[in-house]
Amino acid sequence: MISMRAARLLFAAVLILLVLNFRQTMPADAVPQSPPTQLAGHNALLMGTNWYPEQWPEQRWESDLRLMEAAHLNVARLAEFAWSRMEPSEGRFDFDWLDRAIRLAEKHHISVVLGTPTAGPPAWLTQRYPETLRVEATGQRVTHGTRAHGSVTSNKYLEFCRRIAEEMAKRFGHDRNVVGWQIDNEYGYGMMSYNDEARRQFQDWLKAKYKTLDSLNEHWTTTYWSQSYDSWEEIPIPIGEHNPGLLMDWQRFVTYAWSSYQQNQIDAIRAQADARQFITGNFMGYGFDPIDHFVITKPLTFVAWDDYVGTGHLDADANGISHDAMRGLKRENIWIIETQPGFVNWSPLNNSLDKGEVRAMAWHDVGHGADEVSYWQWRSALNGQEEIHGTLVGPDGEPEPLLEEVAQAAKEFGELQGAFHDTRVVSDVALLQDYESRWAINWQKHTEKYDQSAILKSYYHALRKISPSIDIVSPDVSLDQYKLVVAPNLCLLPKQRAAHLVEYVNSGGHLVLGPRSGLKDEFNALLTIRQPGYLTAALGGRVEQYYALEKAIPASGSWGSGEASVWAEFLKTTAPDAQVLLRYGRSNGWLDGQPAVVSRTYGGGRITYIGAVLSDALVASAVDWMAKTSGISPAFGSVPDGIEVSRRVGPKGSVFVMINFKNEKQTVMLPRVMKSLLDRRELSQVQLPPYGVAILADQTKP
Ligand code: GLA
């Protein structure tokens, strides 16, 4: 018999061998590293503001930074509109003032993100080189004095952009207090220049893509309306309604142009800067469409976006969708590099968020994967277009009432950062979004009531009840981790994409397609197979015809009874084992009694096609059914309306972020005893005040 001690030693030795062996056999990229949004040597959660020292006398800087530090802010973004101060005349650079501002920030323990100032070129530049200014679709050149007036396709402009980025990086690329870079700001809202230079570049891009005009003419079906092109020079920039193939390629060219514009600056910075300095951009959330964000965010360290409510109040779903879509771009945590300090100045009604709502919003961001939240802006310039936007400090330099609330949230971020260290959002459920499908549907809506965002939101709302997080990702990424994948409007379904989705189903996943799926190929041309195109065989069903609806029609079946509105497709089963889950009631005759939803088990998984825009109650029961058939059970149990629970997962277990979005108190029963981190108590139920927040640690592995 071996002694207890020897047994322990043997056990330890086996364990070490197992670990070593595991390490050796596991590919390096499978070892989860810290999210790139959590900076080495810094708190896992950061809070900051956008500070424009160039707008203020230098004597003022110290008091600003002292106030920021007292409010527990630890990061500031600088310089993204300071080109005329950094390069006051062509080729003459002055970074001394910025250096002094960065040093002073450092003294107050505030790290700096530098923005390249290319969204606001100086007047000397646009006057001397007018070709750097954008030309509108009307043919008119924009005037100086707004922003985003530079032309993304002007080679001259790109030269200047590269040089300012390079000079900034030479000076600050090794600065210990500069943690990273933001390229430009919001990428000119994707606006293009409609001039000969842009048109020539578009034609060259098409030539590189299609090689021959025959190929282009064929894929765009240019025999229609005599659109055939005999030379590349004949191809126009589309303005207004146009050939769908041309429109699709133009929009891809827009993405290409802005990606090249971004890359031009990334290259300039990377050549000079320390690898530890991140490079990001400032994106605008889910609804901002002109650029394919999956493409443009590829070379960035992580995604950052600016999160504004505008009119009204924080909507858990709308804000959640944007967070999840931005997080889904690189499937990694994010930064909220700008957010609303109470109110904005650009909405139809610039109401303020209620007391407590700004703090709730900051924690909502964290729940959805944000590791930094930054308020735009610290203090308004005394003149300029945004004089009366909300701020943290007033024109007199004294704190606004909101600063106290921001300081509270910042303090909490600091105190709880350890709990969020190395945590990420890990989901069982994904929604697929595809910019190209969205463009294709929006260019040919067929009914003006067709609102893709609203359809996505109705699924999101219901899915959020069965899952503490949802990833909103591209249809082309690996979907292995998901038990359920819902694609509400996947219009473009080329062969390869379809094969990828079939593989997902084959290996056990449940794929749910919504209306208008699988109508087109990658050229935005109709497929010669009925919807859902290359997925009809796996589905064992197809779409006979689609109908834009004048009014809602009844629909009923195993998900109960409700309505279809806006859009309805008449489905048909083609395989004996395909099930019809919902049928239309009396309608236009064509749809009466016909299948609205078809589902079939296929390979190891299941594929379901929903051919209509369903009422919320039907979507809710559809989602309950999806949860059951996909083996999903809510991680948190059911919570009252107006409460959202999000989960982040790390090496020590899960952290739940619970927010009360209502301006009234609510009580939530917990599924088991958890540790409430804000008040350090073990709880089995949580009382939340209006806009209240609870952060709950749960050692149970998801
Ligand atoms: C955007 C911009 C900022 C500022 C804010 C105002 O997000 O990036 O420069 O204009 O809006 O809300």
Side-chain angles (χ1 to χ4, degrees):
M1 245 188 42
I2 58 169
S3 71
M4 254 331 245
R5 192 159 172 269
R8 271 199 204 123
L9 278 174
L10 188 67
F11 178 66
V14 169
L15 206 67
I16 288 167
L17 278 174
L18 274 175
V19 168
L20 284 177
N21 190 44
F22 180 57
R23 284 254 160 101
Q24 276 158 12
T25 50
M26 199 161 62
D29 59 1
V31 181
Q33 306 192 328
S34 291
T37 42
Q38 300 190 351
L39 313 177
H42 291 76
N43 282 357
L45 298 182
L46 300 171
M47 191 169 272
T49 189
N50 306 119
W51 180 48
Y52 299 95
E54 70 276 18
Q55 294 168 4
W56 300 100
E58 210 163 320
Q59 311 84 279
R60 168 70 205 182
W61 295 357
E62 178 94 45
S63 1
D64 279 324
L65 291 160
R66 202 178 306 119
L67 277 172
M68 284 180 213
E69 189 178 16
H72 313 282
L73 303 182
N74 38 29
V75 52
R77 188 190 64 191
L78 273 66
E80 86 279 8
F81 286 108
W83 197 339
S84 61
R85 281 297 304 273
M86 293 189 287
E87 190 179 358
S89 59
E90 184 172 348
R92 187 166 70 79
F93 296 95
D94 174 9
F95 295 116
D96 291 350
W97 66 272
L98 184 54
D99 199 14
R100 291 194 296 278
I102 295 170
R103 295 284 70 78
L104 217 52
E106 185 177 27
K107 180 177 144 198
H108 290 278
H109 308 104
I110 292 170
S111 303
V112 166
V113 177
L114 287 177
T116 67
T118 48
W124 59 257
L125 195 163
T126 57
Q127 291 305 296
R128 192 168 309 153
Y129 305 98
E131 71 270 33
T132 61
L133 283 170
R134 231 170 7 87
V135 175
E136 304 273 24
T138 54
Q140 201 170 1
R141 206 172 274 286
V142 294
T143 51
H144 190 90
T146 58
R147 59 178 170 182
H149 44 300
S151 164
V152 66
T153 43
S154 156
N155 285 325
K156 192 62 172 173
Y157 191 53
L158 261 67
E159 263 174 44
F160 280 105
C161 293
R162 190 180 181 100
R163 189 163 70 173
I164 186 70
E166 186 173 58
E167 292 297 327
M168 286 177 81
K170 275 188 198 157
R171 181 70 180 251
F172 301 110
H174 306 295
D175 192 300
R176 58 185 184 269
N177 199 40
V178 173
V179 289
W181 299 83
Q182 174 191 300
I183 307 283
D184 197 79
N185 191 58
E186 297 176 330
Y187 295 122
Y189 321 114
M191 289 189 294
M192 297 298 286
S193 206
Y194 294 80
N195 61 1
D196 288 345
E197 195 175 11
R199 185 173 168 192
R200 262 195 310 275
Q201 288 179 29
F202 178 45
Q203 291 161 347
D204 288 347
W205 182 88
L206 289 169
K207 205 188 286 182
K209 174 174 175 174
Y210 288 96
K211 313 283 188 276
T212 67
L213 278 168
D214 283 350
S215 164
L216 177 144
N217 282 319
E218 187 197 326
H219 286 300
W220 291 2
T221 321
T222 53
T223 43
Y224 174 80
W225 282 0
S226 259
Q227 291 168 357
S228 318
Y229 299 106
D230 300 316
S231 86
W232 298 99
E233 290 71 37
E234 289 170 0
I235 302 171
I237 294 178
I239 295 173
E241 199 204 342
H242 237 288
N243 178 302
L246 170 59
L247 282 175
M248 184 58 75
D249 276 326
W250 168 252
Q251 216 55 43
R252 286 179 181 137
F253 175 73
V254 171
T255 298
Y256 165 80
W258 282 103
S259 299
S260 312
Y261 172 88
Q262 173 185 261
Q263 196 60 44
N264 180 46
Q265 296 185 44
I266 293 179
D267 292 345
I269 293 171
R270 271 290 163 244
Q272 306 295 336
D274 291 346
R276 76 177 158 83
Q277 292 184 337
F278 65 75
I279 301 185
T280 189
N282 179 14
F283 297 95
M284 296 172 72
Y286 167 75
F288 179 68
D289 268 3
I291 298 172
D292 186 330
H293 287 40
F294 290 114
V295 176
I296 197 165
T297 56
K298 249 188 206 132
L300 300 174
T301 319
F302 57 78
V303 173
W305 77 282
D306 50 14
D307 184 7
Y308 291 94
V309 172
T311 301
H313 292 272
L314 185 59
D315 173 334
D317 292 334
N319 208 47
I321 286 172
S322 266
H323 282 315
D324 299 348
M326 294 296 100
R327 198 185 68 246
L329 295 173
K330 290 180 80 72
R331 308 226 269 178
E332 210 16 300
N333 291 2
I334 49 177
W335 273 29
I336 308 305
I337 207 149
E338 289 183 23
T339 195
Q340 179 161 323
F343 57 89
V344 297
N345 70 326
W346 44 257
S347 239
L349 165 63
N350 297 303
N351 66 282
S352 175
L353 297 179
D354 289 348
K355 197 166 186 192
E357 207 176 351
V358 165
R359 169 176 170 259
M361 188 168 169
W363 278 112
H364 186 236
D365 302 344
V366 173
H368 286 257
D371 287 325
E372 192 256 12
V373 176
S374 220
Y375 292 88
W376 195 95
Q377 61 172 320
W378 177 248
R379 181 181 179 184
S380 289
L382 296 180
N383 213 323
Q385 282 90 323
E386 294 172 306
E387 278 175 301
I388 59 167
H389 193 284
T391 54
L392 299 183
V393 161
D396 58 354
E398 296 297 321
E400 294 284 11
L402 178 67
L403 185 60
E404 199 181 317
E405 183 174 320
V406 166
Q408 183 195 344
K411 185 160 180 276
E412 292 166 351
F413 271 28
E415 287 167 354
L416 267 53
Q417 62 92 19
F420 287 89
H421 190 73
D422 281 356
T423 61
R424 292 177 163 89
V425 177
V426 180
S427 311
D428 284 342
V429 179
L431 275 162
L432 302 186
Q433 73 132 340
D434 169 43
Y435 287 86
E436 297 182 349
S437 291
R438 251 153 68 189
W439 299 333
I441 293 176
N442 282 341
W443 290 325
Q444 295 175 324
K445 282 185 155 193
H446 214 59
T447 156
E448 59 183 15
K449 290 193 195 133
Y450 203 91
D451 181 345
Q452 297 180 72
S453 303
I455 297 169
L456 182 98
K457 197 173 171 193
S458 77
Y459 282 96
Y460 184 88
H461 181 77
L463 288 167
R464 231 16 203 93
K465 298 223 182 283
I466 59 155
S467 178
S469 67
I470 293 170
D471 290 353
I472 302 184
V473 296
S474 152
D476 304 319
V477 296
S478 157
L479 301 169
D480 294 352
Q481 78 177 79
Y482 305 114
K483 292 180 178 163
L484 173 65
V485 167
V486 182
N489 291 291
L490 199 52
C491 183
L492 262 54
L493 210 36
K495 215 178 212 161
Q496 215 183 338
R497 175 174 285 174
H500 171 62
L501 295 177
V502 168
E503 204 179 295
Y504 164 71
V505 173
N506 247 328
S507 54
H510 184 177
L511 173 70
V512 179
L513 295 162
R516 302 180 87 144
S517 291
L519 182 71
K520 293 181 161 192
D521 70 9
E522 66 269 45
F523 301 97
N524 205 11
L526 296 171
L527 288 169
T528 52
I529 323 170
R530 297 288 175 95
Q531 284 170 258
Y534 298 108
L535 293 178
T536 46
L539 176 68
R542 66 179 216 179
V543 174
E544 288 300 283
Q545 182 60 286
Y546 48 81
Y547 300 92
L549 297 179
E550 296 165 83
K551 54 182 194 314
I553 62 172
S556 59
S558 51
W559 297 343
S561 298
E563 286 183 334
S565 60
V566 182
W567 192 269
E569 290 165 356
F570 159 9
L571 308 187
K572 180 182 160 188
T573 55
T574 53
D577 56 340
Q579 302 161 267
V580 174
L581 300 182
L582 202 74
R583 284 182 190 274
Y584 302 108
R586 201 168 128 62
S587 168
N588 60 1
W590 303 110
L591 287 163
D592 298 10
Q594 298 298 347
V597 176
V598 167
S599 183
R600 184 185 186 211
T601 53
Y602 184 81
R606 176 178 281 277
I607 174 165
T608 300
Y609 190 96
I610 302 175
V613 179
L614 301 178
S615 49
D616 288 348
L618 271 181
V619 170
S621 48
V623 162
D624 282 344
W625 171 85
M626 288 174 208
K628 276 189 211 105
T629 48
S630 318
I632 295 168
S633 48
F636 205 87
S638 75
V639 292
D641 270 356
I643 298 281
E644 191 207 70
V645 182
S646 301
R647 182 184 63 195
R648 288 180 54 157
V649 181
K652 288 182 272 175
S654 300
V655 189
F656 289 99
V657 177
M658 182 188 286
I659 314 269
N660 178 10
F661 286 88
K662 285 199 173 160
N663 195 357
E664 60 195 53
K665 55 180 186 205
Q666 300 217 63
T667 303
V668 185
M669 301 303 295
L670 303 185
R672 52 195 165 270
V673 172
M674 292 185 187
K675 186 162 182 201
S676 164
L677 299 180
L678 284 170
D679 52 7
R680 298 190 188 85
R681 286 190 304 152
E682 302 276 327
L683 297 177
S684 54
Q685 68 169 45
V686 181
Q687 318 269 3
L688 287 170
Y691 302 114
V693 174
I695 311 296
L696 303 159
D698 183 17
Q699 306 293 321
T700 325
K701 291 274 176 207

